[in-house]
Amino acid sequence: MVIKFYDIFSKLICLFTSLFLSACSGNPANNQALKNGYYKFPEGFLWGTATSSYQVEGGIINDWSTSGLDAGKASEHYEKFEEDFKAAKGLNNNSYRFSVEWARIEPEEGKWDTKEVEHYKKVLQSLKANGLKPMLTLQHFTNPVWISKMGGWGNEKILTYFSRYVKYIVNELQGDVDLWITINEPNIYGFKGYDSGEWPPFKKDRNLALQVMKNELVAHKNAYKIIHETDKQDSDGDGKNALVGFAHHVAIFQPYFPANPLDDLQVYFTDKAFNDAIMEAVVTGVIDISIPGAESAKSPFDKDLKGSVDFFGLNYYTRWLIKSSGERLANESSEKNDLGWEIYPEGMLIALRKVNSYASKLNVPIYITENGLDDGKDTKRSKYIVSHVKKVWDAIQEGIPVKGYIHWTLMDNYEWSDKYGPKFGFMTIDRKMRDSANIYKEISGQNGLTRDLLEKYGVKQ
Ligand code: BGC
């Protein structure tokens, strides 16, 4: 359990850099953007919402539905996608993130369901017709039943099957997708499915959880190569072929008792394993996911892993205060969402700085691929959006290349083991638009935030 000197040193440098940068918030770029009368985002900035197949489509048979967590009809998006995309267009959005369901496309090993492929082709056509740039996720927590029977992501055999699925579906859908997301949140999936045991396959084996994260990284690297070998089209005519990345969940971890060095130490290790290890791996080409007391998941330098992203996707939701025991708690005095997660907009900027410390090494941009809250009464969502988007703007003023903000989510849906309790949507399941949608519509429509909006929600200018 030796903390290397250079790690502490680099932390201090980061701290110094972030202090320095916030002291520079009155820089010329900042003033330039403000001269236009509002907090304007760069031209071509993407505004959208995100969903995932199992959470919204309905009628899917996969490793969740057969494990007692059946989403049933979900939000019936499989049938209602046309009207949903019209609604997204009505929010002035120019982008939409969604996932395709592996279990639909390959319900039995090696058997491809062309009817389902046609469905996703129609989805892509409809997105195009509504002016929504697709951001397509290939794996968002769910698997075909036959994959789970052979050990799922805990068995390295999945790598061969995942690559074959990626090759098949990318070949079918190429030309209509600009932004490919290989895998959603390897860290959340690894820990929830294999460490805390909350999600299928309900394992409580930390060693295996770290291996799962490693397998997902290797699967991502393979998919990155396959997508670039398969999809050589510039589908939106921006002069670039498809871009490939993954969506990474970054949580802010801070000590529960700042004066307790043991809490600090726990924060250090949690942060490294949960937030940094995955980004570090694609930057260096070396996998090293370690937590004291568990067997590390490692692999030596791999030239194909190094630099295997054209962008980083950031999913940011909240901050956790960590005790030396590993327990994580929401800050008692802060405002929370209905799930008890702290509303902490400052964390958006902290997370972006962290992601950019890796992205800048590869010279690649960042997209916010998820950010949102469970707010059934819709009393907190508007302020949440304004305050988080303002932090994205602040990050851009620091020179962090953020290219889009994709809010989670368009409509209420099946929220994994919390089922239908949480309400993250701009719309209810019966497609009633909540008031906060108007705020998002305003922001997307004017590509930025007005001073009035910031004042209205008491967000610091
Ligand atoms: C996941 C989503 C989920 C959201 C809210 C993210 O970690 O990618 O699928 O619905 O969090 O819990």
Side-chain angles (χ1 to χ4, degrees):
M1 208 198 281
V2 182
I3 304 175
K4 292 186 192 115
F5 173 71
Y6 71 79
D7 284 328
I8 295 178
F9 182 70
S10 66
K11 274 191 152 194
L12 287 174
I13 294 275
C14 278
L15 183 67
F16 176 75
T17 315
S18 55
L19 288 175
F20 173 76
L21 286 170
S22 54
C24 292
S25 61
N27 68 25
N30 197 343
N31 295 335
Q32 186 60 40
L34 277 175
K35 255 187 213 153
N36 299 323
Y38 62 95
Y39 294 79
K40 191 178 189 306
F41 278 69
E43 216 171 294
F45 194 82
L46 295 187
W47 298 99
T49 56
T51 60
S52 86
S53 49
Y54 189 59
Q55 292 181 271
V56 295
E57 284 183 0
I60 295 175
I61 300 167
N62 63 15
D63 58 338
W64 285 70
S65 70
T66 52
S67 309
L69 289 167
D70 187 357
K73 293 203 263 176
S75 324
E76 296 179 271
H77 180 62
Y78 190 83
E79 289 80 24
K80 297 187 176 174
F81 68 91
E82 299 266 13
E83 69 174 271
D84 291 339
F85 297 162
K86 281 199 186 94
K89 185 185 177 189
L91 295 181
N92 292 323
N93 286 182
N94 55 4
S95 180
Y96 180 72
R97 178 178 170 221
F98 72 108
S99 70
V100 294
E101 181 72 31
W102 186 1
R104 280 195 193 278
I105 295 161
E106 192 183 6
E108 286 175 52
E109 203 238 291
K111 292 205 175 134
W112 308 103
D113 190 331
T114 52
K115 203 171 72 340
E116 297 294 7
V117 175
E118 285 314 307
H119 170 81
Y120 288 122
K121 285 185 182 169
K122 279 190 205 136
V123 166
L124 286 168
Q125 289 316 317
S126 175
L127 285 172
K128 200 174 185 178
N130 286 292
L132 300 166
K133 186 167 177 147
M135 200 180 258
L136 190 150
T137 310
L138 293 161
Q139 216 278 344
H140 196 122
F141 301 155
T142 57
N143 303 294
V145 177
W146 61 271
I147 281 286
S148 63
K149 280 194 181 142
M150 47 141 267
W153 286 92
N155 181 347
E156 279 184 11
K157 261 169 61 188
I158 195 169
L159 298 175
T160 311
Y161 295 118
F162 186 70
S163 288
R164 188 177 64 177
Y165 151 68
V166 171
K167 197 171 174 49
Y168 175 81
I169 195 67
V170 173
N171 186 47
E172 290 288 337
L173 304 182
Q174 59 167 315
D176 286 323
V177 180
D178 295 293
L179 295 159
W180 295 92
I181 294 186
T182 55
I183 296 187
N184 185 63
E185 301 182 338
N187 51 359
I188 290 278
Y189 181 72
F191 283 113
K192 291 222 174 198
Y194 293 83
D195 182 48
S196 67
E198 291 161 77
W199 290 0
F202 310 112
K203 300 260 195 256
K204 291 189 178 177
D205 178 347
R206 183 159 292 175
N207 298 346
L208 188 57
L210 303 187
Q211 286 301 322
V212 164
M213 283 164 65
K214 176 181 146 186
N215 287 343
E216 292 214 314
L217 259 171
V218 177
H220 157 78
K221 166 211 76 168
N222 294 339
Y224 178 85
K225 199 161 182 233
I226 292 165
I227 297 170
H228 278 304
E229 282 166 1
T230 313
D231 184 357
K232 295 195 184 295
Q233 305 191 42
D234 170 13
S235 34
D236 64 348
D238 68 350
K240 287 186 210 134
N241 289 350
L243 302 179
V244 186
F246 61 91
H248 184 48
H249 188 116
V250 173
I252 307 303
F253 299 117
Q254 286 170 2
Y256 187 82
F257 294 113
N260 182 347
L262 291 178
D263 285 13
D264 262 331
L265 204 60
Q266 185 66 30
V267 165
Y268 173 81
F269 286 117
T270 310
D271 196 32
K272 227 170 155 42
F274 188 87
N275 289 328
D276 291 288
I278 288 188
M279 294 190 283
E280 182 98 40
V282 294
V283 167
T284 60
V286 176
I287 301 179
D288 181 358
I289 313 171
S290 302
I291 300 184
E295 226 174 85
S296 303
K298 293 187 182 207
S299 73
F301 176 72
D302 177 341
K303 66 172 181 17
D304 288 340
L305 177 63
K306 186 177 159 77
S308 61
V309 284
D310 304 321
F311 64 88
F312 278 100
L314 165 64
N315 295 0
Y316 169 69
Y317 285 89
T318 192
R319 159 173 81 166
W320 296 106
L321 302 183
I322 306 284
K323 288 189 175 170
S324 57
S325 60
E327 196 186 349
R328 29 157 256 196
L329 297 155
N331 190 10
E332 279 148 34
S333 56
S334 303
E335 199 175 13
K336 322 266 188 319
N337 78 11
D338 294 353
L339 279 169
W341 302 356
E342 182 186 359
I343 297 179
Y344 185 58
E346 293 77 10
M348 173 64 91
L349 185 54
I350 300 173
L352 276 168
R353 285 177 182 153
K354 183 188 261 299
V355 176
N356 195 47
S357 69
Y358 296 97
S360 59
K361 290 188 185 131
L362 299 176
N363 198 17
V364 296
I366 303 168
Y367 290 88
I368 310 297
T369 37
E370 283 182 36
N371 174 239
L373 78 169
D374 168 19
D375 179 26
K377 295 204 180 91
D378 200 39
T379 51
K380 298 175 183 165
R381 188 171 287 103
S382 299
K383 179 171 181 185
Y384 180 99
I385 293 173
V386 172
S387 56
H388 283 75
V389 167
K390 170 63 168 50
K391 292 295 172 192
V392 177
W393 190 85
D394 289 346
I396 295 172
Q397 304 319 298
E398 288 183 4
I400 299 178
V402 190
K403 303 286 181 198
Y405 172 88
I406 309 295
H407 189 83
W408 186 272
T409 179
L410 183 58
M411 74 220 90
D412 290 343
N413 56 36
Y414 186 75
E415 180 55 37
W416 308 113
S417 47
D418 289 308
K419 303 184 179 172
Y420 289 102
K423 311 279 185 249
F424 277 86
F426 279 126
M427 294 190 282
T428 61
I429 282 204
D430 51 15
R431 304 315 194 256
K432 194 177 161 299
M433 224 17 123
R434 295 193 165 103
D435 289 345
S436 54
N438 288 322
I439 300 298
Y440 195 47
K441 179 178 174 178
E442 190 180 328
I443 296 171
S444 310
Q446 66 203 7
N447 193 27
L449 295 157
T450 55
R451 289 190 166 140
D452 286 354
L453 212 46
L454 293 175
E455 255 162 43
K456 183 170 172 193
Y457 291 102
V459 176
K460 215 173 124 223
Q461 309 230 7

Coordinates of all heavy atoms in Angstrom, one line a residue, residues 316 343-350 383-384 387-388 391:
Y316 N -21.8 12.6 -15.4 CA -21.6 13.2 -14.1 C -22.9 13.4 -13.4 O -23.8 14.0 -13.9 CB -20.8 14.5 -14.1 CG -20.9 15.2 -12.7 CD1 -20.2 14.7 -11.7 CD2 -21.7 16.3 -12.5 CE1 -20.3 15.2 -10.4 CE2 -21.8 16.9 -11.2 CZ -21.1 16.3 -10.2 OH -21.3 16.8 -8.9
I343 N -27.0 17.4 -4.8 CA -26.9 18.3 -6.0 C -25.7 19.1 -5.8 O -25.6 20.0 -5.0 CB -28.2 19.1 -6.1 CG1 -29.4 18.1 -6.3 CG2 -28.1 20.1 -7.3 CD1 -30.8 18.7 -6.5
Y344 N -24.7 18.9 -6.7 CA -23.4 19.5 -6.5 C -22.8 19.9 -7.8 O -22.0 19.3 -8.4 CB -22.5 18.5 -5.8 CG -21.1 19.0 -5.4 CD1 -20.9 20.1 -4.6 CD2 -20.0 18.4 -6.0 CE1 -19.7 20.5 -4.3 CE2 -18.7 18.8 -5.6 CZ -18.6 19.9 -4.8 OH -17.3 20.4 -4.4
P345 N -23.3 21.1 -8.3 CA -22.9 21.6 -9.7 C -21.4 21.8 -9.8 O -20.8 21.5 -10.8 CB -23.6 22.9 -9.9 CG -24.5 23.1 -8.7 CD -24.3 22.0 -7.7
E346 N -20.7 22.2 -8.7 CA -19.3 22.4 -8.7 C -18.6 21.2 -9.2 O -17.5 21.2 -9.8 CB -18.7 22.8 -7.3 CG -19.2 24.1 -6.8 CD -20.6 24.1 -6.2 OE1 -21.2 23.0 -6.1 OE2 -21.2 25.2 -6.0
G347 N -19.2 20.0 -8.9 CA -18.6 18.7 -9.3 C -18.5 18.6 -10.8 O -17.6 17.9 -11.3
M348 N -19.3 19.2 -11.5 CA -19.3 19.1 -13.0 C -17.9 19.7 -13.5 O -17.2 19.1 -14.3 CB -20.4 19.9 -13.6 CG -20.4 20.0 -15.1 SD -20.5 18.4 -15.9 CE -22.3 18.3 -16.2
L349 N -17.5 20.8 -12.9 CA -16.3 21.4 -13.3 C -15.1 20.6 -12.8 O -14.1 20.4 -13.5 CB -16.2 22.9 -12.7 CG -15.0 23.7 -13.1 CD1 -14.8 23.8 -14.7 CD2 -15.1 25.1 -12.6
I350 N -15.2 20.1 -11.6 CA -14.1 19.2 -11.1 C -14.0 18.0 -12.0 O -12.8 17.6 -12.3 CB -14.4 18.8 -9.6 CG1 -14.5 20.1 -8.7 CG2 -13.3 17.9 -9.1 CD1 -15.0 19.8 -7.3
K383 N -33.2 24.5 -12.0 CA -32.0 25.0 -11.4 C -30.8 24.1 -11.6 O -29.7 24.5 -11.8 CB -32.3 25.3 -9.9 CG -31.0 25.9 -9.3 CD -31.3 26.4 -7.9 CE -29.9 27.0 -7.4 NZ -30.0 27.4 -6.0
Y384 N -31.1 22.8 -11.5 CA -30.0 21.8 -11.6 C -29.4 22.0 -13.0 O -28.2 22.1 -13.2 CB -30.6 20.4 -11.5 CG -29.6 19.3 -11.7 CD1 -29.1 18.6 -10.6 CD2 -29.3 18.8 -12.9 CE1 -28.2 17.6 -10.7 CE2 -28.4 17.8 -13.1 CZ -27.9 17.1 -12.0 OH -27.0 16.1 -12.1
S387 N -27.5 25.4 -13.4 CA -26.2 25.5 -12.6 C -25.2 24.6 -13.2 O -24.0 24.9 -13.2 CB -26.5 25.2 -11.1 OG -27.1 24.0 -11.0
H388 N -25.6 23.4 -13.7 CA -24.6 22.4 -14.2 C -24.1 22.9 -15.6 O -22.9 22.8 -15.9 CB -25.2 21.0 -14.3 CG -25.2 20.3 -13.0 ND1 -26.1 20.7 -12.0 CD2 -24.4 19.4 -12.5 CE1 -25.9 19.9 -10.9 NE2 -24.9 19.1 -11.2
K391 N -21.5 25.5 -15.3 CA -20.2 24.9 -15.0 C -19.5 24.4 -16.2 O -18.3 24.4 -16.4 CB -20.3 23.8 -13.9 CG -20.7 24.3 -12.6 CD -19.6 25.2 -12.0 CE -20.1 25.9 -10.7 NZ -19.2 27.0 -10.2

